[in-house]
Amino acid sequence: MCGIVAASSHRNVVPILTEGLRRLEYRGYDSCGIAVVDEGTLKRTRTVKRVNALIEQTKIENLHGVTGIAHTRWATHGCPEINNTHPLFSHNVIGVVHNGIIENYEELRKELIAKGYEFVSQTDTEVVAHLVHSLYKGDLLEAVKKAAKRLRGAFALAFTSSTEPNRVVSTKRAAPLVAALGDGENFVASDPIALAGVTEKFIYLEDDDIVDLNPEKLEIWHAKAETWEKIERPVSIIHEFSSEISLGKYDHYMQKEIFEQPRAIADTLEGVQSITGAIFGFEAPGMFKKLNRVLIIACGTSYYAAMIGKYWIEAIAKVPVDVEIASEYRYRETVPNPDTLVLTISQSGETADTLAALRHAKDLGMDMTMTICNVATSSMVKETKAHYITRAGVEVGVASTKAFTTQLVALYLLALAIAKEKGRLSKEKEEKAMKELLHLPDSMNIVLKLEPAIKEWAALFADKNNALFLGRGTHYPIALEGALKLKEISYIHAEGYPAGELKHGPLALVDGNMPVVTVAPNDELIEKLKSNMQEVRARNGVLYVFSDSDSNIEPGDGINVIKLPENYGDLSPVLHVLPLQLLAYHTALVRGTDVDKPRNLAKSVTVE
């Protein structure tokens, strides 16, 4: 959600900033803009179109400057229109870009209107611009320090001023922001990927840090009680982004990331030679021995991974598991248990609702905390005692694919590790599980070869308006995930259900125009599932079945079948989600939607 790039240099920064915005498109946005200081004047270009259109506008307008701020906006306060598009100005002296939400903006707005400030947007961000202007006495750093003390909410902000043409000041609270060091130039950005190829030196900022930078220096100040203290933060070298953000032979990032999953799984498992709690951190074995319950907190696709994790942990480790949607958990009364392991799952590690829910659980006295996350430097990793870093790499497509399957592998390892630490994992089970995990990438590659047959199904789906997805056991959450993928990128309304619930309501929707996708592995529930399929056929519903080769489900009138090559036991959900991802992708292509950047959605959800 929203992306920030800002720079101060001795060279023209417009190409750096606009390319940075292009690299941040994965976060989701509906407008974008850039502002530079040129000969003592703030100049900007904004559009409610894509970054490519912004780049063309900067060329037409010959926008040029050595200091600038740029932004991709995902609308919260005010619809996507030019007046609400960042950067926003105050009196053509202060320019600002903003990620997050200012919770006390109404109070500040009234105060500033009383002082004579006029507002031209509906955003909470314009309040920040005017507030800093009202406090500005020629020193941007001092004005931002004073303003930051007045702001409530989660935010990342970057400012520049027409009267200090080489200066950028930036600050953050509960929103991602990094500083970056160059040669004769310095930067801030929402994500290091924005500056891939420009610099490899990054500084991960903490809440209530303020960065003051110009081409020659970068200083960090941190709020301490009523004062500010100049501090040093470690510099991280990151140089692996270039290949990951190249499409290579693929047409879209989603397609690329679907086919990267076998490699991502292999990377996530790298170094795991045996099952032990220690692979989750040095505090994990003690926590796993002590825990008597697990609470998993997540949102969206990560929530569906958590649901599968519940099945695995309860079946393998014999420990009860609660799975909570983060945005619901933090706002209701619960019964805390200090012997509960609180596990968060997040691709970015910055998901606002999940972070807030984690902090809420800790406030309730549950201090055994852990995260499964794809970003080792994220807030979630820093705020938990144990962690497992999935190695999915950069995921650009908004619809999560490889982040999901690597989360599943981490959850399966967790179930095994808890069982091992509690003495509930036999040697035979451990050896079998390790063998299957290590063979999993090869099996995934075989499943991905089913793409041509899935493309044929996509052509049949493209003119539909609704679809049902059915599964049982660990494949019920896979049905939910398949439905989510289809609705996210093709805009077909789709719902996932436990197949046994079909007759308790959803069957009323089934007719010849309602495709029913069924996940049908050859497990202990297959005969029950076949009965549910017959219920669909009796109402003239058309079935699209993903079965295992030995499920004994054959194509026929109203029954389309694609067979996966092998039954994979516990890890079957990892294989069965792949064709659902491909079905969504190819259906979206036929419908002509924006696969990598679906409307109204964002990749990194950093606001509530």
Side-chain angles (χ1 to χ4, degrees):
M1 283 186 150
C2 300
I4 289 173
V5 195
S8 184
S9 176
H10 294 299
R11 58 172 166 160
N12 179 24
V13 298
V14 171
I16 298 172
L17 297 180
T18 54
E19 178 59 25
L21 293 186
R22 196 203 302 272
R23 296 179 188 277
L24 292 176
E25 284 188 293
Y26 76 94
R27 298 173 71 87
Y29 68 104
D30 40 48
S31 61
C32 52
I34 178 176
V36 296
V37 184
D38 184 15
E39 297 182 350
T41 302
L42 278 175
K43 298 180 180 179
R44 68 183 166 190
T45 298
R46 300 180 291 176
T47 181
V48 292
K49 299 178 181 178
R50 291 297 184 186
V51 171
N52 282 342
L54 180 72
I55 292 171
E56 290 305 311
Q57 283 184 216
T58 64
K59 293 176 181 177
I60 293 169
E61 297 172 14
N62 194 28
L63 194 70
H64 179 281
V66 295
T67 300
I69 54 178
H71 191 258
T72 53
R73 177 177 185 257
W74 188 84
T76 55
H77 297 67
C79 62
E81 60 183 34
I82 288 297
N83 282 348
N84 294 326
T85 300
H86 300 202
L88 295 176
F89 290 173
S90 181
H91 292 73
N92 291 317
V93 173
I94 302 296
V96 64
V97 289
H98 167 217
N99 179 14
I101 290 177
I102 306 301
E103 293 177 354
N104 60 332
Y105 83 99
E106 291 178 327
E107 168 192 330
L108 293 170
R109 184 184 178 100
K110 290 177 183 178
E111 176 185 318
L112 290 161
I113 289 173
K115 291 182 178 179
Y117 284 90
E118 296 182 4
F119 286 78
V120 298
S121 79
Q122 290 79 50
T123 68
D124 53 338
T125 305
E126 192 177 5
V127 167
V128 182
H130 290 324
L131 178 63
V132 170
H133 182 271
S134 72
L135 298 168
Y136 186 60
K137 308 298 181 186
D139 188 329
L140 187 58
L141 174 63
E142 292 305 313
V144 173
K145 284 180 178 178
K146 293 175 182 176
K149 296 287 189 181
R150 300 285 314 278
L151 302 177
R152 296 199 306 270
F155 52 80
L157 298 157
F159 302 87
T160 192
S161 170
S162 60
T163 62
E164 298 177 82
N166 295 313
R167 195 176 202 182
V168 171
V169 177
S170 187
T171 187
K172 64 151 288 192
R173 184 181 304 154
L177 193 70
V178 297
L181 304 169
D183 185 7
E185 54 191 6
N186 291 301
F187 314 90
V188 292
S190 296
D191 189 321
I193 198 173
L195 298 167
V198 178
T199 180
E200 297 178 347
K201 299 177 181 178
F202 294 92
I203 300 171
Y204 289 88
L205 301 171
E206 303 287 343
D207 284 356
D208 296 313
D209 281 354
I210 290 185
V211 181
D212 181 18
L213 65 88
N214 60 39
E216 310 303 334
K217 69 175 183 177
L218 186 152
E219 296 178 340
I220 301 173
W221 297 77
H222 183 74
K224 190 174 183 180
E226 297 301 315
T227 63
W228 292 88
E229 177 183 6
K230 187 187 292 188
I231 60 168
E232 299 286 337
R233 297 231 180 264
V235 177
S236 300
I237 305 299
I238 304 176
H239 49 72
E240 69 261 18
F241 285 132
S242 297
S243 63
E244 295 194 16
I245 58 177
S246 170
L247 274 172
K249 65 181 181 181
Y250 298 101
D251 295 322
H252 300 90
Y253 282 107
M254 184 177 180
Q255 182 189 30
K256 176 176 183 278
E257 289 156 8
I258 288 172
F259 280 87
E260 285 178 338
Q261 288 176 104
R263 188 273 306 161
I265 295 296
D267 288 350
T268 296
L269 290 169
E270 186 177 357
V272 179
Q273 304 298 324
S274 62
I275 303 301
T276 169
I279 62 178
F280 296 92
F282 74 93
E283 291 196 56
M287 293 195 300
F288 293 175
K289 287 183 175 70
K290 179 184 176 183
L291 67 83
N292 58 29
R293 199 169 196 89
V294 177
L295 167 64
I296 312 179
I297 302 171
C299 301
T301 286
S302 296
Y303 175 73
Y304 297 150
M307 291 175 69
I308 297 170
K310 172 184 172 71
Y311 282 98
W312 284 335
I313 295 169
E314 292 191 343
I316 298 169
K318 311 301 181 187
V319 173
V321 179
D322 299 310
V323 179
E324 294 271 3
I325 295 172
S327 57
E328 290 294 317
Y329 170 73
R330 63 175 298 209
Y331 291 116
R332 69 180 186 85
E333 290 188 20
T334 58
V335 181
N337 176 353
D339 292 329
T340 295
L341 175 69
V342 179
L343 169 63
T344 59
I345 307 175
S346 169
Q347 189 280 138
S348 67
E350 304 292 347
T351 308
D353 285 321
T354 309
L355 263 175
L358 169 64
R359 292 163 181 163
H360 175 65
K362 291 165 72 173
D363 288 343
L364 292 175
M366 294 189 287
D367 63 355
M368 291 198 296
T369 57
M370 178 184 161
T371 192
I372 292 172
C373 180
N374 193 41
V375 182
T377 53
S378 66
S379 298
M380 226 165 277
V381 172
K382 294 174 183 175
E383 295 186 27
T384 50
K385 291 182 176 179
H387 58 261
Y388 196 90
I389 307 302
T390 58
R391 296 179 60 188
V394 175
E395 190 177 64
V396 176
V398 167
S400 180
T401 52
K402 60 181 180 174
F404 177 69
T405 49
T406 53
Q407 287 170 356
L408 289 181
V409 166
L411 283 162
Y412 190 62
L413 284 172
L414 177 63
L416 295 167
I418 293 174
K420 181 74 172 288
E421 296 297 340
K422 288 188 173 295
R424 298 169 184 168
L425 184 67
S426 70
K427 186 174 180 60
E428 293 75 22
K429 173 65 176 177
E430 179 178 356
E431 291 176 352
K432 183 175 183 289
M434 283 302 304
K435 182 179 179 180
E436 291 177 345
L437 280 167
L438 296 175
H439 181 60
L440 187 57
D442 292 336
S443 297
M444 296 172 77
N445 276 318
I446 295 171
V447 173
L448 291 171
K449 291 179 181 179
L450 297 171
E451 184 179 28
I454 295 169
K455 287 174 70 173
E456 293 181 11
W457 282 12
L460 302 175
F461 267 70
D463 64 348
K464 306 301 182 184
N465 295 317
N466 303 280
L468 287 177
F469 285 68
L470 304 179
R472 300 196 75 143
T474 54
H475 296 81
Y476 159 48
I478 293 300
L480 290 169
E481 174 62 10
L484 177 62
K485 286 292 156 284
L486 189 68
K487 75 180 78 169
E488 276 183 312
I489 62 170
S490 74
Y491 313 147
I492 294 172
H493 174 247
E495 298 296 334
Y497 281 93
E501 281 293 293
L502 193 62
K503 55 188 170 291
H504 295 291
L507 199 58
L509 299 172
V510 172
D511 59 20
N513 293 317
M514 171 76 79
V516 180
V517 180
T518 307
V519 185
N522 189 18
D523 58 18
E524 66 277 6
L525 293 172
I526 187 63
E527 296 304 324
K528 299 287 187 184
L529 185 62
K530 288 178 181 179
S531 297
N532 301 139
M533 291 165 56
Q534 290 304 316
E535 294 167 3
V536 172
R537 285 302 300 128
R539 277 79 180 174
N540 295 317
V542 180
L543 287 160
Y544 294 82
V545 185
F546 291 104
S547 73
D548 291 335
S549 58
D550 56 356
S551 292
N552 295 318
I553 299 174
E554 300 301 327
D557 182 32
I559 303 179
N560 305 280
V561 181
I562 291 178
K563 294 188 177 183
L564 277 63
E566 60 182 317
N567 178 278
Y568 218 68
D570 286 348
L571 291 167
S572 174
V574 181
L575 296 185
H576 272 275
V577 77
L578 303 182
L580 301 185
Q581 294 169 348
L582 287 169
L583 179 62
Y585 171 73
H586 285 290
T587 302
L589 288 188
V590 177
R591 289 170 68 92
T593 61
D594 192 336
V595 173
D596 288 332
K597 297 182 284 291
R599 66 189 183 199
N600 304 332
L601 299 180
K603 181 68 177 177
S604 181
V605 184
T606 54
V607 298
E608 289 188 56

